[in-house]
Amino acid sequence: MTAPKTGLAPIGRGSGYVIAVAAAFVVLGAWHHVAFSHTVGELAFFKNAFDEDTYMLNLFGVVFARPDRLLSDAIAWILASAFGSLNATLIALDAIMPPLIFLSAYYAAGALFENVYTRVLYALLLVFAQDMFSLGNEAAWPGPFPTLLDFQHFVGTSFVPSFETSFLTINRSPEPQVAYAVGFALTGVVLRGFRAGTLTTSQRIGALLLQTGLVICYALVSYPLIAIESAAGLILLLRRKAPLGLFLVVLAVVSLVAAAVSARLVIGPGTANPLTFPSRLPVVTVSVLAAVPAVLAFGLLAVLDPGHRDRFALAAAIAATPLIVTNQQIVTGLMISARDWERYINLSLVVLAVGVGLSPFRWPQKLPGIVAIVAALAIAVFVTQTSRRSYGFWLRDNLKSLALGRAIATAHPCPELPLVMDEPGYAPTIEVRLGHPINSLLNFTDGFRHPIPSTQAFVPTRLSAALFEYWRRRDVSEHDAEAILRREAAQHGGFYSAFLFNNCEYWAPCTDGRAVKTEKILSQIPQVISAYAGYHASDTPVAFVTFDKPTGTLLGSGTAGPFVASVFTSSATAAACPR
């Protein structure tokens, strides 16, 4: 075994390769937006991940600022202020953050491997581990390869959470992008200190700054990394390297206390929509299955090889982290959904553990450059194909939202009428594209602003009133409304139920399907329909937004690709609008 140098490679020796890979990450992040803008003839962001629009519309929180999004919200706010546009901000984030994530991962790899080409390969594995190995990315594993559904059928759906995605994780703005960039950089500092037994003054300052940033980053990425930092500090203390061990432990403990307070504010039992629920069922995922042998192997090596015991012990601790965060409920009886651990960080932790555990051996340090380059190219091909498929998956929704936005923007002469949209789920995306709110009768974001509490019987709210008004305007009968709600209850999720029921009671992914209250929802549906039967639409004039042929006075229209959207209203309403 040999100990590699942990500094950055000398300038000139492979630096061009690193720069080229970083530039490729710029292209990877930006090309969706460039291609889409070229297609539609204007600068337009391409939504390619869940909830990007919702979070951008609610920087610093929909009710209050979420502590674990303060840094990303601040970065997005600064960019939005500079550009004067959320549309441009999302494009900029995807061009800036992916290369920063890679460079942070490369810095972490530099603490483990000496060869530049090995470092790049390892950084790529850290960055894309979730997409490559979890089976949850439908753009990465569309079949006939084993899919997440196959894995669920093999293991049992009760044990495997649903965490399907159709995008590269580094494309989701602004989180977990910011958490990855900060977290990987801090991991690099911690690993350097762990290897050397000390940190320079500049490294300690860097650690303090990065730690401060990580505490206010996306919790599901930052908390496991802080736990790993505490493990590193405890191992150093046990190995009588007290100064650095104490420094890391104090940093981690202070951060974990802040994290606990943050978690209680965001998901605790006293919140309007608590995300914790009782369960003792284990969670089985690819990361769990990979972590078990890693813990055993590195734990055994820590016993057998006293000369490298520290590193093997740390590798075992890192590998144990996915097991702990996804299965602590076996002991505590209380959990939050495990789906996002697996979606965003668990596989990267397994790769990190393997890297730490392999770093004492000679062969990873002497890996021929050509082998590392070929492996990196194979990953690049995989990522390119995944990104292309992801673009195809999201293209239809982006074209439709742009067509709707163009139609609403040209609505004349009644721009302020409440909008009854055929597909109201596009409202947040349209607001980002237009740069201002639209007066949609239904807006999914309202469910975050006014969360519905858990109640034994149905209690009318402002959200249910909005839904009833929307249904009346679209001539939805009581019979059809009941059919919609029963269908959504049967599939454990749906758009309209969000305006009537507590989120975690009707939407299975909120509790990994373990605490969804379908029977309770079904028992409340007759109460909902009774309330709807007694509801009468207001006299307020409205405009309709549709992809169908307009049946009234046309106010505006918009086209994007094959989609043509129209805004229309009754002739009487149009005549009464100010000219």
Side-chain angles (χ1 to χ4, degrees):
M1 297 184 184
T2 182
K5 299 173 184 177
T6 60
L8 293 173
I11 297 298
R13 198 185 84 184
S15 58
Y17 180 52
V18 176
I19 293 171
V21 176
F25 270 85
V26 177
V27 175
L28 177 65
W31 86 264
H32 282 186
H33 304 289
V34 174
F36 184 66
S37 297
H38 175 73
T39 297
V40 300
E42 66 174 90
L43 184 65
F45 91 96
F46 186 83
K47 180 182 176 180
N48 53 11
F50 302 144
D51 303 327
E52 290 180 310
D53 42 14
T54 299
Y55 286 117
M56 291 302 295
L57 290 169
N58 295 283
L59 296 178
F60 300 111
V62 292
V63 179
F64 64 93
R66 272 185 58 168
D68 70 328
R69 288 186 178 271
L70 289 177
L71 182 59
S72 61
D73 282 357
I75 292 171
W77 181 83
I78 290 170
L79 290 173
S81 299
F83 292 120
S85 164
L86 294 178
N87 183 67
T89 298
L90 282 165
I91 297 173
L93 283 168
D94 276 349
I96 295 169
M97 294 310 304
L100 289 181
I101 293 168
F102 163 71
L103 291 173
S104 293
Y106 178 79
Y107 179 71
L112 301 175
F113 302 105
E114 182 176 351
N115 184 286
V116 172
Y117 303 102
T118 304
R119 291 177 178 182
V120 169
L121 173 61
Y122 185 69
L124 293 176
L125 289 171
L126 270 180
V127 171
F128 295 117
Q130 309 305 128
D131 307 299
M132 295 176 66
F133 306 126
S134 74
L135 301 181
N137 190 333
E138 295 175 348
W141 300 108
F145 311 102
T147 63
L148 180 61
L149 186 61
D150 296 327
F151 186 77
Q152 288 175 319
H153 288 163
F154 177 74
V155 176
T157 54
S158 298
F159 303 108
V160 184
S162 294
F163 52 88
E164 294 90 345
T165 64
S166 53
F167 54 87
L168 291 168
T169 54
I170 63 168
N171 280 142
R172 190 170 188 249
S173 306
E175 290 287 18
Q177 287 178 335
V178 174
Y180 285 150
V182 176
F184 288 150
L186 179 61
T187 299
V189 175
V190 171
L191 290 177
R192 279 167 170 74
F194 190 85
R195 293 289 307 282
T198 186
L199 287 173
T200 65
T201 300
S202 60
Q203 286 174 329
R204 286 177 182 264
I205 293 172
L208 285 169
L209 293 174
L210 289 168
Q211 187 85 27
T212 302
L214 190 61
V215 172
I216 52 176
C217 281
Y218 190 44
L220 294 174
V221 172
S222 63
Y223 292 3
L225 294 176
I226 294 171
I228 289 169
E229 178 187 44
S230 66
L234 289 172
I235 291 171
L236 290 173
L237 284 177
L238 292 173
R239 300 293 285 174
R240 299 182 181 179
K241 298 176 182 178
L244 179 58
L246 186 61
F247 175 76
L248 294 179
V249 168
V250 169
L251 272 184
V253 169
V254 171
S255 299
L256 289 173
V257 169
V261 173
S262 170
R264 186 167 184 83
L265 287 173
V266 176
I267 65 173
T271 60
N273 196 24
L275 301 180
T276 55
F277 56 93
S279 177
R280 291 191 184 272
L281 282 177
V283 169
V284 181
T285 61
V286 173
S287 70
V288 169
L289 296 181
V292 170
V295 171
L296 295 175
F298 294 131
L300 181 61
L301 286 171
V303 173
L304 298 178
D305 187 353
H308 298 94
R309 180 166 293 159
D310 293 3
R311 269 180 284 172
F312 290 135
L314 180 59
I318 296 172
T321 305
L323 295 174
I324 295 170
V325 297
T326 57
N327 282 288
Q328 55 75 37
Q329 71 277 3
I330 296 174
V331 176
T332 66
L334 194 67
M335 68 178 290
I336 64 170
S337 170
R339 74 185 189 280
D340 283 341
W341 301 116
E342 193 71 9
R343 182 180 284 167
Y344 295 124
I345 192 60
N346 277 356
L347 272 302
S348 292
L349 297 180
V350 174
V351 170
L352 182 62
V354 171
V356 172
L358 292 182
S359 63
F361 294 94
R362 183 177 300 275
W363 65 266
Q365 306 300 339
K366 300 300 182 181
L367 186 69
I370 187 63
V371 174
I373 291 174
V374 170
L377 286 174
I379 294 175
V381 170
F382 169 87
V383 169
T384 300
Q385 292 299 320
T386 300
S387 185
R388 287 180 63 251
R389 281 191 288 262
S390 179
Y391 184 83
F393 287 162
W394 289 86
L395 179 59
R396 179 183 175 87
D397 285 338
N398 277 274
L399 289 171
K400 292 181 79 171
S401 67
L402 184 62
L404 290 167
R406 286 172 168 174
I408 292 169
T410 61
H412 176 79
C414 306
E416 301 302 324
L417 289 176
L419 301 176
V420 181
M421 301 174 62
D422 281 359
E423 301 184 50
Y426 289 115
T429 313
I430 295 169
E431 290 182 340
V432 170
R433 295 198 185 284
L434 296 180
H436 59 76
I438 61 173
N439 192 12
S440 175
L441 275 184
L442 283 188
N443 193 323
F444 194 73
T445 306
D446 292 339
F448 293 90
R449 293 192 178 101
H450 312 289
I452 298 174
S454 174
T455 56
Q456 287 302 116
F458 169 68
V459 177
T461 65
R462 61 195 301 173
L463 296 181
S464 64
L467 176 60
F468 293 165
E469 181 74 14
Y470 175 82
W471 275 346
R472 284 297 183 213
R473 297 291 186 161
R474 288 181 52 80
D475 295 325
V476 176
S477 68
E478 288 85 351
H479 179 270
D480 290 341
E482 182 173 0
I484 291 171
L485 296 180
R486 290 193 178 277
R487 182 171 61 249
E488 291 189 347
Q491 65 191 24
H492 297 163
F495 180 82
Y496 298 107
S497 294
F499 296 86
L500 299 168
F501 309 116
N502 176 265
N503 182 59
C504 288
E505 291 187 346
Y506 85 88
W507 187 52
C510 185
T511 60
D512 295 340
R514 301 183 178 199
V516 63
K517 300 186 182 301
T518 304
E519 293 302 321
K520 178 179 177 180
I521 298 300
L522 289 172
S523 71
Q524 291 186 3
I525 288 177
Q527 302 168 32
V528 173
I529 300 305
S530 177
Y532 178 48
Y535 183 87
H536 300 284
S538 70
D539 296 327
T540 304
V542 298
F544 295 86
V545 186
T546 182
F547 288 109
D548 298 328
K549 183 178 179 180
T551 57
T553 300
L554 184 68
L555 302 178
S557 64
T559 302
F563 300 105
V564 179
S566 301
V567 181
F568 70 93
T569 189
S570 67
S571 56
T573 298
C577 286
R579 301 281 175 175

